[in-house]
Amino acid sequence: MIDDAYSANPVGAQNVLDVLALYESGRRVLITPGIVELGPLHEPENYRLGQRAAQVCTDIVLVGIEQTRPIQKGIHDAGFAEDHLFVFDTRDEAIAWFNRELKDGDTVLFLNDLPDTYL
């Protein structure tokens, strides 16, 4: 598990995805609500996050349907397999997926952690 839940910013997000890419066995899973508090950069930076995540991850779990629209678009535009993208309304739903789906040998990156009231 890579815990980057408390310091999400555009540069750091790209760097930690580079770290995730180093894991070659098992699945590489990103769980994130995206990067927030970017003002007018919210959409382009989260779109870039989706594009890079699509290159690195085998599975992507997004938290917050509306909040993650730019990430979803970046993932889609990168040609990522739709059946490996999971979008949940709440953090609890994402954690339930994590507990149910991940196996030994998988690597998960938690990028940012917003309370559900923020989504």
Side-chain angles (χ1 to χ4, degrees), residues 90-104:
T90 68
R91 178 180 51 194
D92 287 344
E93 292 170 314
I95 296 302
W97 181 93
F98 164 84
N99 287 328
R100 182 179 63 247
E101 297 293 328
L102 290 186
K103 309 285 186 246
D104 285 343

Side-chain angles (χ1 to χ4, degrees), residues 40-61:
L41 298 177
H42 172 81
E43 288 193 25
E45 289 297 341
N46 279 289
Y47 178 87
R48 280 189 38 207
L49 174 63
Q51 293 262 286
R52 180 66 179 136
Q55 295 171 343
V56 170
C57 301
T58 61
D59 299 88
I60 301 171
V61 177

Side-chain angles (χ1 to χ4, degrees), residues 9-68:
N9 63 72
V11 173
Q14 297 299 320
N15 290 339
V16 76
L17 283 169
D18 290 344
V19 171
L20 181 62
L22 298 174
Y23 291 83
E24 297 179 355
S25 64
R27 294 186 289 177
R28 291 179 307 278
V29 180
L30 170 64
I31 300 178
T32 187
I35 306 169
V36 298
E37 299 179 350
L38 294 174
L41 298 177
H42 172 81
E43 288 193 25
E45 289 297 341
N46 279 289
Y47 178 87
R48 280 189 38 207
L49 174 63
Q51 293 262 286
R52 180 66 179 136
Q55 295 171 343
V56 170
C57 301
T58 61
D59 299 88
I60 301 171
V61 177
L62 301 177
V63 182
I65 295 167
E66 290 304 316
Q67 170 74 21
T68 61

Side-chain angles (χ1 to χ4, degrees), residues 57-114:
C57 301
T58 61
D59 299 88
I60 301 171
V61 177
L62 301 177
V63 182
I65 295 167
E66 290 304 316
Q67 170 74 21
T68 61
R69 292 275 184 219
I71 304 170
Q72 294 175 51
K73 181 164 177 27
I75 291 166
H76 174 76
D77 289 354
F80 189 77
E82 295 292 326
D83 60 335
H84 288 267
L85 172 62
F86 307 91
V87 183
F88 296 107
D89 198 31
T90 68
R91 178 180 51 194
D92 287 344
E93 292 170 314
I95 296 302
W97 181 93
F98 164 84
N99 287 328
R100 182 179 63 247
E101 297 293 328
L102 290 186
K103 309 285 186 246
D104 285 343
D106 293 343
T107 304
V108 63
L109 163 60
F110 287 97
L111 179 65
N112 207 353
D113 183 25
L114 297 177

